[in-house]
Amino acid sequence: MTLQSVPVLLRNVLALGCIGLAGAAWAAGPAPAATTPANPLGGKAGATATAPAAPGQPREITWEELVPKDWDPMKAYKGIDFSKLDDADPKAAELLLKMQEVSDNAPANSALNGALVKIPGFVVPLEESKGEITEFLLVPYFGACIHTPPPPANQILHVRPEKGAKFRSMDTVWVTGRLQTTRNDSMMGVSGYAMTAQAVTKYTGAAK
């Protein structure tokens, strides 16, 4: 990893800093034209919080809800002027390692442990069998873990579908199941959540 990766990873951290300190949840709706760390699949800042689910039904959640409200990812970087760092500066390499550590250890929202939920996201395949995905990461914006560095751990969901899912890399889907605050390391990124998905369905906007 070189210093060229810093702006991307920093944007992830800055975005989550805004998410963690924001008071409003993001309501799921039609996918934005261009998803980014600050504008993930599932809505935009300032929307009304999602309504409670009917008894026995999954509650539609947003990526913002996965971030503890008291988590401040920018705390570790206060006073650092990134514009003064370059590849030749040993402090740059140290900072990159520190940023990766903060990202990989981003805390999960313990209040969601065991909750039956439904959340939209992008597919990052981990395992396939007979043309079906049997294990994947769900991420909030296009290109995460593939074209850009992984998001913080509390913005990655490790999914094992009960039945193989016929989707491809970066397809947009809804996943439904019980959320677990279980950490997992994979070759594509560190996830802070896990789910054995009861259903993986095509994303078509608001949940049905």
Side-chain angles (χ1 to χ4, degrees):
M1 186 182 295
T2 66
L3 190 58
Q4 280 73 18
S5 302
V6 170
V8 176
L9 193 54
L10 179 59
R11 281 198 297 272
N12 290 355
V13 175
L14 282 169
L16 285 188
C18 294
I19 291 172
L21 298 177
W26 294 354
T35 54
T36 66
N39 186 35
L41 186 69
K44 58 185 179 180
T48 303
T50 54
Q57 295 299 310
R59 182 170 71 87
E60 184 183 320
I61 66 169
T62 64
W63 288 92
E64 181 189 48
E65 292 178 71
L66 300 181
V67 182
K69 293 185 181 299
D70 60 352
W71 182 55
D72 180 8
M74 289 307 299
K75 183 178 181 180
Y77 312 120
K78 285 180 170 54
I80 297 176
D81 186 350
F82 291 90
S83 66
K84 294 183 179 180
L85 297 176
D86 57 40
D87 285 333
D89 190 339
K91 292 182 179 180
E94 294 177 8
L95 181 58
L96 282 170
L97 290 175
K98 184 176 183 179
M99 294 176 77
Q100 192 64 57
E101 182 180 359
V102 169
S103 181
D104 289 347
N105 290 285
N109 181 355
S110 59
L112 290 174
N113 190 45
L116 181 61
V117 303
K118 186 168 188 173
I119 185 171
F122 292 87
V123 172
V124 178
L126 294 178
E127 296 288 344
E128 298 183 23
S129 177
K130 299 179 180 179
E132 295 182 332
I133 296 176
T134 57
E135 182 180 355
F136 64 92
L137 299 181
L138 191 75
V139 295
Y141 54 91
F142 186 87
C145 300
I146 296 178
H147 303 301
T148 68
N154 58 20
Q155 293 287 275
I156 301 180
L157 172 59
H158 181 229
V159 181
R160 293 180 185 271
E162 291 182 351
K163 297 180 180 180
K166 294 184 178 180
F167 292 100
R168 297 176 298 176
S169 178
M170 285 295 128
D171 276 351
T172 50
V173 299
W174 287 100
V175 298
T176 303
R178 292 206 175 274
L179 200 63
Q180 303 295 328
T181 52
T182 302
R183 177 187 170 90
N184 182 69
D185 292 358
S186 76
M187 58 196 288
M188 303 303 289
V190 178
S191 54
Y193 293 92
M195 175 191 290
T196 299
Q198 300 172 3
V200 181
T201 57
K202 182 179 180 181
Y203 179 83
T204 55
K208 305 297 184 182

PDB file of all heavy atoms in Angstrom, residues 156-190:
ATOM      1  N   ILE A 156     -18.939  -3.725   6.834  1.00  0.00           N
ATOM      2  CA  ILE A 156     -18.821  -4.941   6.025  1.00  0.00           C
ATOM      3  C   ILE A 156     -19.577  -6.061   6.724  1.00  0.00           C
ATOM      4  O   ILE A 156     -19.380  -6.309   7.913  1.00  0.00           O
ATOM      5  CB  ILE A 156     -17.349  -5.356   5.817  1.00  0.00           C
ATOM      6  CG1 ILE A 156     -16.552  -4.236   5.133  1.00  0.00           C
ATOM      7  CG2 ILE A 156     -17.274  -6.631   4.989  1.00  0.00           C
ATOM      8  CD1 ILE A 156     -15.086  -4.573   4.905  1.00  0.00           C
ATOM      9  N   LEU A 157     -20.439  -6.737   5.969  1.00  0.00           N
ATOM     10  CA  LEU A 157     -21.231  -7.842   6.491  1.00  0.00           C
ATOM     11  C   LEU A 157     -20.823  -9.130   5.783  1.00  0.00           C
ATOM     12  O   LEU A 157     -20.860  -9.205   4.552  1.00  0.00           O
ATOM     13  CB  LEU A 157     -22.722  -7.552   6.270  1.00  0.00           C
ATOM     14  CG  LEU A 157     -23.728  -8.667   6.566  1.00  0.00           C
ATOM     15  CD1 LEU A 157     -23.639  -9.131   8.000  1.00  0.00           C
ATOM     16  CD2 LEU A 157     -25.141  -8.192   6.228  1.00  0.00           C
ATOM     17  N   HIS A 158     -20.408 -10.127   6.562  1.00  0.00           N
ATOM     18  CA  HIS A 158     -20.027 -11.435   6.022  1.00  0.00           C
ATOM     19  C   HIS A 158     -21.280 -12.304   5.937  1.00  0.00           C
ATOM     20  O   HIS A 158     -21.924 -12.576   6.955  1.00  0.00           O
ATOM     21  CB  HIS A 158     -18.987 -12.081   6.934  1.00  0.00           C
ATOM     22  CG  HIS A 158     -18.509 -13.412   6.468  1.00  0.00           C
ATOM     23  ND1 HIS A 158     -18.456 -14.514   7.286  1.00  0.00           N
ATOM     24  CD2 HIS A 158     -18.073 -13.837   5.259  1.00  0.00           C
ATOM     25  CE1 HIS A 158     -17.999 -15.551   6.622  1.00  0.00           C
ATOM     26  NE2 HIS A 158     -17.764 -15.169   5.374  1.00  0.00           N
ATOM     27  N   VAL A 159     -21.630 -12.737   4.724  1.00  0.00           N
ATOM     28  CA  VAL A 159     -22.891 -13.434   4.494  1.00  0.00           C
ATOM     29  C   VAL A 159     -22.663 -14.858   3.997  1.00  0.00           C
ATOM     30  O   VAL A 159     -21.881 -15.084   3.074  1.00  0.00           O
ATOM     31  CB  VAL A 159     -23.760 -12.680   3.456  1.00  0.00           C
ATOM     32  CG1 VAL A 159     -25.094 -13.400   3.250  1.00  0.00           C
ATOM     33  CG2 VAL A 159     -23.989 -11.237   3.889  1.00  0.00           C
ATOM     34  N   ARG A 160     -23.384 -15.795   4.612  1.00  0.00           N
ATOM     35  CA  ARG A 160     -23.454 -17.174   4.131  1.00  0.00           C
ATOM     36  C   ARG A 160     -24.937 -17.460   3.843  1.00  0.00           C
ATOM     37  O   ARG A 160     -25.718 -17.651   4.775  1.00  0.00           O
ATOM     38  CB  ARG A 160     -22.922 -18.162   5.167  1.00  0.00           C
ATOM     39  CG  ARG A 160     -21.417 -18.052   5.432  1.00  0.00           C
ATOM     40  CD  ARG A 160     -20.997 -19.079   6.473  1.00  0.00           C
ATOM     41  NE  ARG A 160     -19.598 -18.957   6.847  1.00  0.00           N
ATOM     42  CZ  ARG A 160     -18.590 -19.573   6.228  1.00  0.00           C
ATOM     43  NH1 ARG A 160     -18.855 -20.360   5.198  1.00  0.00           N
ATOM     44  NH2 ARG A 160     -17.347 -19.417   6.626  1.00  0.00           N
ATOM     45  N   PRO A 161     -25.340 -17.502   2.580  1.00  0.00           N
ATOM     46  CA  PRO A 161     -26.748 -17.764   2.270  1.00  0.00           C
ATOM     47  C   PRO A 161     -27.135 -19.199   2.633  1.00  0.00           C
ATOM     48  O   PRO A 161     -26.323 -20.121   2.512  1.00  0.00           O
ATOM     49  CB  PRO A 161     -26.829 -17.556   0.745  1.00  0.00           C
ATOM     50  CG  PRO A 161     -25.566 -16.848   0.371  1.00  0.00           C
ATOM     51  CD  PRO A 161     -24.541 -17.249   1.379  1.00  0.00           C
ATOM     52  N   GLU A 162     -28.375 -19.378   3.086  1.00  0.00           N
ATOM     53  CA  GLU A 162     -28.858 -20.731   3.352  1.00  0.00           C
ATOM     54  C   GLU A 162     -28.908 -21.537   2.067  1.00  0.00           C
ATOM     55  O   GLU A 162     -28.719 -22.752   2.070  1.00  0.00           O
ATOM     56  CB  GLU A 162     -30.241 -20.673   4.011  1.00  0.00           C
ATOM     57  CG  GLU A 162     -30.220 -20.117   5.433  1.00  0.00           C
ATOM     58  CD  GLU A 162     -31.588 -20.113   6.079  1.00  0.00           C
ATOM     59  OE1 GLU A 162     -32.589 -20.383   5.372  1.00  0.00           O
ATOM     60  OE2 GLU A 162     -31.670 -19.836   7.290  1.00  0.00           O
ATOM     61  N   LYS A 163     -29.160 -20.845   0.941  1.00  0.00           N
ATOM     62  CA  LYS A 163     -29.130 -21.458  -0.378  1.00  0.00           C
ATOM     63  C   LYS A 163     -28.196 -20.635  -1.259  1.00  0.00           C
ATOM     64  O   LYS A 163     -28.123 -19.416  -1.107  1.00  0.00           O
ATOM     65  CB  LYS A 163     -30.533 -21.495  -0.995  1.00  0.00           C
ATOM     66  CG  LYS A 163     -31.530 -22.347  -0.221  1.00  0.00           C
ATOM     67  CD  LYS A 163     -32.885 -22.325  -0.913  1.00  0.00           C
ATOM     68  CE  LYS A 163     -33.890 -23.183  -0.149  1.00  0.00           C
ATOM     69  NZ  LYS A 163     -35.232 -23.173  -0.811  1.00  0.00           N
ATOM     70  N   GLY A 164     -27.490 -21.297  -2.161  1.00  0.00           N
ATOM     71  CA  GLY A 164     -26.587 -20.580  -3.045  1.00  0.00           C
ATOM     72  C   GLY A 164     -27.289 -19.451  -3.776  1.00  0.00           C
ATOM     73  O   GLY A 164     -28.448 -19.587  -4.189  1.00  0.00           O
ATOM     74  N   ALA A 165     -26.612 -18.331  -3.920  1.00  0.00           N
ATOM     75  CA  ALA A 165     -27.194 -17.148  -4.557  1.00  0.00           C
ATOM     76  C   ALA A 165     -26.636 -16.973  -5.965  1.00  0.00           C
ATOM     77  O   ALA A 165     -25.426 -17.021  -6.171  1.00  0.00           O
ATOM     78  CB  ALA A 165     -26.914 -15.906  -3.719  1.00  0.00           C
ATOM     79  N   LYS A 166     -27.519 -16.780  -6.943  1.00  0.00           N
ATOM     80  CA  LYS A 166     -27.083 -16.638  -8.334  1.00  0.00           C
ATOM     81  C   LYS A 166     -26.859 -15.169  -8.673  1.00  0.00           C
ATOM     82  O   LYS A 166     -27.620 -14.566  -9.434  1.00  0.00           O
ATOM     83  CB  LYS A 166     -28.112 -17.269  -9.271  1.00  0.00           C
ATOM     84  CG  LYS A 166     -28.227 -18.779  -9.114  1.00  0.00           C
ATOM     85  CD  LYS A 166     -29.192 -19.381 -10.125  1.00  0.00           C
ATOM     86  CE  LYS A 166     -29.238 -20.901  -9.977  1.00  0.00           C
ATOM     87  NZ  LYS A 166     -30.173 -21.526 -10.953  1.00  0.00           N
ATOM     88  N   PHE A 167     -25.832 -14.609  -8.056  1.00  0.00           N
ATOM     89  CA  PHE A 167     -25.475 -13.226  -8.321  1.00  0.00           C
ATOM     90  C   PHE A 167     -24.003 -13.137  -8.675  1.00  0.00           C
ATOM     91  O   PHE A 167     -23.233 -14.081  -8.449  1.00  0.00           O
ATOM     92  CB  PHE A 167     -25.778 -12.348  -7.103  1.00  0.00           C
ATOM     93  CG  PHE A 167     -27.245 -12.199  -6.818  1.00  0.00           C
ATOM     94  CD1 PHE A 167     -27.866 -12.957  -5.838  1.00  0.00           C
ATOM     95  CD2 PHE A 167     -28.009 -11.305  -7.549  1.00  0.00           C
ATOM     96  CE1 PHE A 167     -29.219 -12.842  -5.580  1.00  0.00           C
ATOM     97  CE2 PHE A 167     -29.373 -11.177  -7.305  1.00  0.00           C
ATOM     98  CZ  PHE A 167     -29.979 -11.938  -6.322  1.00  0.00           C
ATOM     99  N   ARG A 168     -23.597 -11.990  -9.221  1.00  0.00           N
ATOM    100  CA  ARG A 168     -22.205 -11.774  -9.601  1.00  0.00           C
ATOM    101  C   ARG A 168     -21.594 -10.658  -8.754  1.00  0.00           C
ATOM    102  O   ARG A 168     -22.288  -9.969  -8.021  1.00  0.00           O
ATOM    103  CB  ARG A 168     -22.122 -11.414 -11.084  1.00  0.00           C
ATOM    104  CG  ARG A 168     -22.604 -12.507 -12.018  1.00  0.00           C
ATOM    105  CD  ARG A 168     -22.576 -12.054 -13.462  1.00  0.00           C
ATOM    106  NE  ARG A 168     -23.472 -10.925 -13.688  1.00  0.00           N
ATOM    107  CZ  ARG A 168     -23.577 -10.279 -14.849  1.00  0.00           C
ATOM    108  NH1 ARG A 168     -22.828 -10.632 -15.865  1.00  0.00           N
ATOM    109  NH2 ARG A 168     -24.408  -9.259 -14.968  1.00  0.00           N
ATOM    110  N   SER A 169     -20.295 -10.513  -8.901  1.00  0.00           N
ATOM    111  CA  SER A 169     -19.582  -9.483  -8.154  1.00  0.00           C
ATOM    112  C   SER A 169     -20.177  -8.106  -8.427  1.00  0.00           C
ATOM    113  O   SER A 169     -20.436  -7.729  -9.563  1.00  0.00           O
ATOM    114  CB  SER A 169     -18.103  -9.497  -8.551  1.00  0.00           C
ATOM    115  OG  SER A 169     -17.388  -8.475  -7.888  1.00  0.00           O
ATOM    116  N   MET A 170     -20.417  -7.353  -7.367  1.00  0.00           N
ATOM    117  CA  MET A 170     -20.950  -5.995  -7.371  1.00  0.00           C
ATOM    118  C   MET A 170     -22.411  -5.911  -7.786  1.00  0.00           C
ATOM    119  O   MET A 170     -22.929  -4.815  -8.015  1.00  0.00           O
ATOM    120  CB  MET A 170     -20.093  -5.060  -8.236  1.00  0.00           C
ATOM    121  CG  MET A 170     -18.780  -4.680  -7.563  1.00  0.00           C
ATOM    122  SD  MET A 170     -19.037  -3.697  -6.052  1.00  0.00           S
ATOM    123  CE  MET A 170     -18.049  -4.611  -4.864  1.00  0.00           C
ATOM    124  N   ASP A 171     -23.116  -7.054  -7.863  1.00  0.00           N
ATOM    125  CA  ASP A 171     -24.568  -6.985  -8.010  1.00  0.00           C
ATOM    126  C   ASP A 171     -25.152  -6.368  -6.748  1.00  0.00           C
ATOM    127  O   ASP A 171     -24.594  -6.517  -5.650  1.00  0.00           O
ATOM    128  CB  ASP A 171     -25.167  -8.374  -8.214  1.00  0.00           C
ATOM    129  CG  ASP A 171     -25.111  -8.836  -9.663  1.00  0.00           C
ATOM    130  OD1 ASP A 171     -24.767  -8.021 -10.541  1.00  0.00           O
ATOM    131  OD2 ASP A 171     -25.399 -10.020  -9.916  1.00  0.00           O
ATOM    132  N   THR A 172     -26.283  -5.683  -6.873  1.00  0.00           N
ATOM    133  CA  THR A 172     -26.946  -5.086  -5.714  1.00  0.00           C
ATOM    134  C   THR A 172     -28.072  -6.007  -5.244  1.00  0.00           C
ATOM    135  O   THR A 172     -28.887  -6.454  -6.053  1.00  0.00           O
ATOM    136  CB  THR A 172     -27.516  -3.703  -6.054  1.00  0.00           C
ATOM    137  OG1 THR A 172     -28.282  -3.779  -7.262  1.00  0.00           O
ATOM    138  CG2 THR A 172     -26.409  -2.699  -6.235  1.00  0.00           C
ATOM    139  N   VAL A 173     -28.087  -6.287  -3.954  1.00  0.00           N
ATOM    140  CA  VAL A 173     -29.039  -7.243  -3.400  1.00  0.00           C
ATOM    141  C   VAL A 173     -29.587  -6.772  -2.055  1.00  0.00           C
ATOM    142  O   VAL A 173     -29.029  -5.885  -1.415  1.00  0.00           O
ATOM    143  CB  VAL A 173     -28.383  -8.635  -3.191  1.00  0.00           C
ATOM    144  CG1 VAL A 173     -27.883  -9.200  -4.514  1.00  0.00           C
ATOM    145  CG2 VAL A 173     -27.243  -8.553  -2.167  1.00  0.00           C
ATOM    146  N   TRP A 174     -30.689  -7.391  -1.652  1.00  0.00           N
ATOM    147  CA  TRP A 174     -31.172  -7.325  -0.277  1.00  0.00           C
ATOM    148  C   TRP A 174     -30.775  -8.631   0.392  1.00  0.00           C
ATOM    149  O   TRP A 174     -30.935  -9.706  -0.201  1.00  0.00           O
ATOM    150  CB  TRP A 174     -32.698  -7.220  -0.224  1.00  0.00           C
ATOM    151  CG  TRP A 174     -33.289  -5.907  -0.617  1.00  0.00           C
ATOM    152  CD1 TRP A 174     -33.844  -5.587  -1.818  1.00  0.00           C
ATOM    153  CD2 TRP A 174     -33.425  -4.751   0.215  1.00  0.00           C
ATOM    154  NE1 TRP A 174     -34.303  -4.291  -1.792  1.00  0.00           N
ATOM    155  CE2 TRP A 174     -34.072  -3.758  -0.566  1.00  0.00           C
ATOM    156  CE3 TRP A 174     -33.062  -4.454   1.533  1.00  0.00           C
ATOM    157  CZ2 TRP A 174     -34.358  -2.486  -0.066  1.00  0.00           C
ATOM    158  CZ3 TRP A 174     -33.357  -3.189   2.021  1.00  0.00           C
ATOM    159  CH2 TRP A 174     -33.995  -2.223   1.235  1.00  0.00           C
ATOM    160  N   VAL A 175     -30.275  -8.579   1.617  1.00  0.00           N
ATOM    161  CA  VAL A 175     -30.053  -9.798   2.397  1.00  0.00           C
ATOM    162  C   VAL A 175     -30.926  -9.729   3.645  1.00  0.00           C
ATOM    163  O   VAL A 175     -31.085  -8.675   4.250  1.00  0.00           O
ATOM    164  CB  VAL A 175     -28.567 -10.005   2.780  1.00  0.00           C
ATOM    165  CG1 VAL A 175     -27.707 -10.155   1.538  1.00  0.00           C
ATOM    166  CG2 VAL A 175     -28.052  -8.884   3.650  1.00  0.00           C
ATOM    167  N   THR A 176     -31.487 -10.883   3.991  1.00  0.00           N
ATOM    168  CA  THR A 176     -32.387 -10.966   5.144  1.00  0.00           C
ATOM    169  C   THR A 176     -31.934 -12.080   6.065  1.00  0.00           C
ATOM    170  O   THR A 176     -31.636 -13.193   5.604  1.00  0.00           O
ATOM    171  CB  THR A 176     -33.831 -11.259   4.691  1.00  0.00           C
ATOM    172  OG1 THR A 176     -34.254 -10.240   3.771  1.00  0.00           O
ATOM    173  CG2 THR A 176     -34.778 -11.292   5.877  1.00  0.00           C
ATOM    174  N   GLY A 177     -31.845 -11.794   7.355  1.00  0.00           N
ATOM    175  CA  GLY A 177     -31.446 -12.809   8.330  1.00  0.00           C
ATOM    176  C   GLY A 177     -31.132 -12.177   9.671  1.00  0.00           C
ATOM    177  O   GLY A 177     -31.308 -10.967   9.861  1.00  0.00           O
ATOM    178  N   ARG A 178     -30.658 -13.010  10.579  1.00  0.00           N
ATOM    179  CA  ARG A 178     -30.294 -12.514  11.919  1.00  0.00           C
ATOM    180  C   ARG A 178     -28.852 -12.030  11.916  1.00  0.00           C
ATOM    181  O   ARG A 178     -27.936 -12.759  11.570  1.00  0.00           O
ATOM    182  CB  ARG A 178     -30.501 -13.601  12.973  1.00  0.00           C
ATOM    183  CG  ARG A 178     -31.968 -13.926  13.164  1.00  0.00           C
ATOM    184  CD  ARG A 178     -32.286 -14.473  14.527  1.00  0.00           C
ATOM    185  NE  ARG A 178     -33.733 -14.655  14.676  1.00  0.00           N
ATOM    186  CZ  ARG A 178     -34.576 -13.721  15.063  1.00  0.00           C
ATOM    187  NH1 ARG A 178     -34.117 -12.520  15.380  1.00  0.00           N
ATOM    188  NH2 ARG A 178     -35.874 -13.960  15.150  1.00  0.00           N
ATOM    189  N   LEU A 179     -28.697 -10.788  12.325  1.00  0.00           N
ATOM    190  CA  LEU A 179     -27.382 -10.154  12.336  1.00  0.00           C
ATOM    191  C   LEU A 179     -26.599 -10.589  13.569  1.00  0.00           C
ATOM    192  O   LEU A 179     -27.140 -10.649  14.676  1.00  0.00           O
ATOM    193  CB  LEU A 179     -27.575  -8.640  12.345  1.00  0.00           C
ATOM    194  CG  LEU A 179     -26.412  -7.765  11.898  1.00  0.00           C
ATOM    195  CD1 LEU A 179     -26.079  -8.033  10.437  1.00  0.00           C
ATOM    196  CD2 LEU A 179     -26.798  -6.294  12.073  1.00  0.00           C
ATOM    197  N   GLN A 180     -25.338 -10.916  13.371  1.00  0.00           N
ATOM    198  CA  GLN A 180     -24.450 -11.280  14.473  1.00  0.00           C
ATOM    199  C   GLN A 180     -23.243 -10.349  14.472  1.00  0.00           C
ATOM    200  O   GLN A 180     -22.670 -10.067  13.422  1.00  0.00           O
ATOM    201  CB  GLN A 180     -23.977 -12.739  14.336  1.00  0.00           C
ATOM    202  CG  GLN A 180     -25.095 -13.762  14.264  1.00  0.00           C
ATOM    203  CD  GLN A 180     -25.902 -13.836  15.547  1.00  0.00           C
ATOM    204  OE1 GLN A 180     -25.375 -13.626  16.642  1.00  0.00           O
ATOM    205  NE2 GLN A 180     -27.193 -14.143  15.425  1.00  0.00           N
ATOM    206  N   THR A 181     -22.870  -9.859  15.648  1.00  0.00           N
ATOM    207  CA  THR A 181     -21.687  -9.002  15.759  1.00  0.00           C
ATOM    208  C   THR A 181     -20.465  -9.902  15.890  1.00  0.00           C
ATOM    209  O   THR A 181     -19.816  -9.977  16.930  1.00  0.00           O
ATOM    210  CB  THR A 181     -21.805  -8.043  16.954  1.00  0.00           C
ATOM    211  OG1 THR A 181     -22.117  -8.812  18.133  1.00  0.00           O
ATOM    212  CG2 THR A 181     -22.911  -7.031  16.732  1.00  0.00           C
ATOM    213  N   THR A 182     -20.166 -10.586  14.792  1.00  0.00           N
ATOM    214  CA  THR A 182     -19.066 -11.545  14.734  1.00  0.00           C
ATOM    215  C   THR A 182     -18.018 -11.056  13.754  1.00  0.00           C
ATOM    216  O   THR A 182     -18.317 -10.777  12.594  1.00  0.00           O
ATOM    217  CB  THR A 182     -19.580 -12.928  14.293  1.00  0.00           C
ATOM    218  OG1 THR A 182     -20.590 -13.373  15.195  1.00  0.00           O
ATOM    219  CG2 THR A 182     -18.445 -13.940  14.263  1.00  0.00           C
ATOM    220  N   ARG A 183     -16.789 -10.961  14.206  1.00  0.00           N
ATOM    221  CA  ARG A 183     -15.695 -10.490  13.369  1.00  0.00           C
ATOM    222  C   ARG A 183     -15.138 -11.631  12.517  1.00  0.00           C
ATOM    223  O   ARG A 183     -15.051 -12.781  12.964  1.00  0.00           O
ATOM    224  CB  ARG A 183     -14.587  -9.922  14.269  1.00  0.00           C
ATOM    225  CG  ARG A 183     -13.341  -9.443  13.545  1.00  0.00           C
ATOM    226  CD  ARG A 183     -12.272  -9.073  14.567  1.00  0.00           C
ATOM    227  NE  ARG A 183     -10.991  -8.822  13.950  1.00  0.00           N
ATOM    228  CZ  ARG A 183     -10.587  -7.633  13.530  1.00  0.00           C
ATOM    229  NH1 ARG A 183     -11.377  -6.586  13.695  1.00  0.00           N
ATOM    230  NH2 ARG A 183      -9.399  -7.465  12.983  1.00  0.00           N
ATOM    231  N   ASN A 184     -14.771 -11.320  11.270  1.00  0.00           N
ATOM    232  CA  ASN A 184     -14.191 -12.320  10.382  1.00  0.00           C
ATOM    233  C   ASN A 184     -13.155 -11.668   9.474  1.00  0.00           C
ATOM    234  O   ASN A 184     -13.396 -10.598   8.911  1.00  0.00           O
ATOM    235  CB  ASN A 184     -15.294 -12.974   9.533  1.00  0.00           C
ATOM    236  CG  ASN A 184     -14.733 -14.052   8.621  1.00  0.00           C
ATOM    237  OD1 ASN A 184     -14.299 -15.108   9.066  1.00  0.00           O
ATOM    238  ND2 ASN A 184     -14.729 -13.780   7.324  1.00  0.00           N
ATOM    239  N   ASP A 185     -12.010 -12.307   9.360  1.00  0.00           N
ATOM    240  CA  ASP A 185     -10.965 -11.836   8.455  1.00  0.00           C
ATOM    241  C   ASP A 185     -11.046 -12.622   7.155  1.00  0.00           C
ATOM    242  O   ASP A 185     -11.080 -13.853   7.171  1.00  0.00           O
ATOM    243  CB  ASP A 185      -9.575 -12.039   9.069  1.00  0.00           C
ATOM    244  CG  ASP A 185      -9.339 -11.146  10.275  1.00  0.00           C
ATOM    245  OD1 ASP A 185     -10.232 -10.365  10.600  1.00  0.00           O
ATOM    246  OD2 ASP A 185      -8.266 -11.243  10.881  1.00  0.00           O
ATOM    247  N   SER A 186     -11.054 -11.918   6.026  1.00  0.00           N
ATOM    248  CA  SER A 186     -11.033 -12.582   4.729  1.00  0.00           C
ATOM    249  C   SER A 186     -10.016 -11.880   3.841  1.00  0.00           C
ATOM    250  O   SER A 186      -9.529 -10.801   4.166  1.00  0.00           O
ATOM    251  CB  SER A 186     -12.416 -12.540   4.070  1.00  0.00           C
ATOM    252  OG  SER A 186     -12.679 -11.256   3.546  1.00  0.00           O
ATOM    253  N   MET A 187      -9.733 -12.472   2.700  1.00  0.00           N
ATOM    254  CA  MET A 187      -8.766 -11.898   1.776  1.00  0.00           C
ATOM    255  C   MET A 187      -9.260 -10.574   1.190  1.00  0.00           C
ATOM    256  O   MET A 187      -8.465  -9.772   0.684  1.00  0.00           O
ATOM    257  CB  MET A 187      -8.481 -12.875   0.637  1.00  0.00           C
ATOM    258  CG  MET A 187      -9.730 -13.261  -0.125  1.00  0.00           C
ATOM    259  SD  MET A 187      -9.549 -14.718  -1.140  1.00  0.00           S
ATOM    260  CE  MET A 187      -8.554 -14.158  -2.398  1.00  0.00           C
ATOM    261  N   MET A 188     -10.572 -10.293   1.307  1.00  0.00           N
ATOM    262  CA  MET A 188     -11.137  -9.073   0.737  1.00  0.00           C
ATOM    263  C   MET A 188     -11.387  -7.986   1.772  1.00  0.00           C
ATOM    264  O   MET A 188     -11.744  -6.863   1.413  1.00  0.00           O
ATOM    265  CB  MET A 188     -12.448  -9.396   0.010  1.00  0.00           C
ATOM    266  CG  MET A 188     -12.310 -10.430  -1.086  1.00  0.00           C
ATOM    267  SD  MET A 188     -11.101  -9.970  -2.365  1.00  0.00           S
ATOM    268  CE  MET A 188     -11.971  -8.644  -3.176  1.00  0.00           C
ATOM    269  N   GLY A 189     -11.237  -8.312   3.053  1.00  0.00           N
ATOM    270  CA  GLY A 189     -11.449  -7.304   4.082  1.00  0.00           C
ATOM    271  C   GLY A 189     -11.901  -7.913   5.390  1.00  0.00           C
ATOM    272  O   GLY A 189     -12.273  -9.089   5.455  1.00  0.00           O
ATOM    273  N   VAL A 190     -11.849  -7.110   6.449  1.00  0.00           N
ATOM    274  CA  VAL A 190     -12.268  -7.545   7.785  1.00  0.00           C
ATOM    275  C   VAL A 190     -13.716  -7.113   8.004  1.00  0.00           C
ATOM    276  O   VAL A 190     -14.044  -5.929   7.887  1.00  0.00           O
ATOM    277  CB  VAL A 190     -11.375  -6.932   8.874  1.00  0.00           C
ATOM    278  CG1 VAL A 190     -11.850  -7.367  10.255  1.00  0.00           C
ATOM    279  CG2 VAL A 190      -9.921  -7.347   8.666  1.00  0.00           C
TER     280      VAL A 190
END
